[in-house]
């Protein structure tokens, strides 16, 4: 997958970023091409070798219609998760690392449902907050919304399925 300077991309489990530079570096004795991207949420800069893009899961920001499907899933979709917290945490961690917007939405919804039944462990609470932030950032960019508007849209969608948006930690 080729990206250009200025493209908005998603770095799995880190969030939305912008390609700032495409350059060649000689770090291993041979020239390699790298993308330099700046992550929106933390302003951190990350160098990604172009040959690792698929392995890492770097992808373009979702299109507005894809976001519509995610919102529909959050409103009406079914989700299931393992009962044992270790299995559930492992499964959710894999989904978060994969970086698919759908999988992040699945993690968010399953943890919100679980949180209504019982308090989440510290690690699951952190994962819920991370899933919320990742979804929020990508929806905002994909739909051209500011963060508060995207948060309102996401909270309204969750309310329709009797779920509450997570409170900031």
């Amino acid at each position: 997958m080729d990206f250009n300077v200025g493209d908005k991309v998603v770095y799995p489990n880190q969030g939305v970023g912008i390609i700032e530079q495409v350059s060649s570096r000689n770090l291993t004795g041979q020239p390699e091409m790298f993308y330099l991207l700046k992550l929106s949420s933390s302003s951190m800069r990350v160098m990604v070798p172009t040959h690792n893009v698929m392995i890492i899961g770097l992808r373009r920001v979702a299109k507005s219609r894809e976001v519509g499907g995610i919102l529909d899933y959050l409103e009406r979709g079914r989700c299931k998760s393992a009962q044992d917290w270790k299995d559930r945490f492992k499964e959710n961690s894999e989904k978060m690392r994969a970086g698919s917007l759908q999988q992040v939405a699945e993690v968010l919804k399953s943890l919100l449902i679980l949180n209504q039944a019982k308090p989440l462990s510290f690690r699951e609470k952190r994962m819920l907050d991370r899933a919320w932030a990742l979804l929020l950032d990508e929806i905002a960019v994909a739909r051209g919304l500011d963060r508060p508007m995207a948060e309102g849209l996401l909270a309204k969608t969750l309310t329709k399925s009797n779920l509450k948006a997570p409170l900031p930690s």
Side-chain angles (χ1 to χ4, degrees), residues 70-84:
I70 297 301
L71 295 174
D72 186 57
Y73 166 77
L74 289 172
E75 184 178 333
R76 296 185 195 96
R78 299 241 179 252
C79 70
K80 58 182 192 264
S81 60
Q83 291 300 311
D84 180 64

